[in-house]
Amino acid sequence: PLVKANELLTRINTLYREQAREEQSFLDQEHIRVRNLLANRDFVLGEYFEKRGENRAAQIMYAQVAEDYHDTQLASLAEERIGTVKDKPPIPEQQAQWLVNLFPQSEAAKPLIAEGNKESMFR
């Protein structure tokens, strides 16, 4: 709904410029509010990834906020967060590797040709 509202406000300002002049201050105020809500949504998603230790995903979300919503207050905060997660490991380490090792690996996850095996398949 937020994306649709943003698109609708943009269309109103471009297609109905003459009619929108009467309510321009209201439309501008709502456009700013919708953009702030969109920026907040993406920023919160970045925080979620950061809390989980998925720092690469957090960095991507923060960069998206900084780029797409550069006119909002969260853009500068997102750039600061990019600096904090940049030096951390991109993915979290497996906490219970011993438990993961108890389960057999599925056949679908194994490669068809072992790495380093350069023989032709047509011999």
Side-chain angles (χ1 to χ4, degrees):
L2 290 174
V3 173
K4 291 254 187 206
N6 191 34
E7 290 173 5
L8 183 61
L9 287 166
T10 304
R11 284 185 192 167
I12 288 171
N13 282 327
T14 56
L15 296 175
Y16 305 107
R17 187 175 307 271
E18 295 298 320
Q19 295 87 348
R21 282 189 187 162
E22 299 170 7
E23 300 293 331
Q24 193 62 46
S25 63
F26 172 74
L27 291 172
D28 290 342
Q29 180 182 0
E30 289 302 307
H31 195 250
I32 290 169
R33 188 169 73 92
V34 167
R35 287 188 56 77
N36 283 329
L37 288 170
L38 284 167
N40 187 49
R41 178 194 66 180
D42 291 348
F43 188 84
V44 167
L45 188 57
E47 287 180 323
Y48 168 76
F49 287 133
E50 187 178 357
K51 287 177 186 175
R52 288 180 47 100
E54 297 173 4
N55 296 311
R56 183 182 309 148
Q59 186 175 0
I60 290 169
M61 292 308 301
Y62 293 144
Q64 184 175 340
V65 170
E67 182 180 328
D68 294 347
Y69 308 106
H70 55 85
D71 56 338
T72 65
Q73 295 174 351
L74 286 175
S76 59
L77 186 57
E79 288 177 2
E80 290 175 18
R81 287 288 183 84
I82 289 172
T84 61
V85 298
K86 180 174 58 173
D87 298 328
K88 295 180 180 178
I91 54 174
E93 78 175 53
Q94 183 61 256
Q95 294 296 322
Q97 188 62 44
W98 62 271
L99 184 61
V100 173
N101 293 341
L102 289 177
F103 294 96
Q105 189 177 11
S106 69
E107 292 294 321
K110 293 181 183 176
L112 295 175
I113 299 174
E115 188 175 333
N117 186 356
K118 305 291 186 205
E119 291 185 24
S120 172
M121 293 175 49
F122 301 108
R123 285 190 183 185

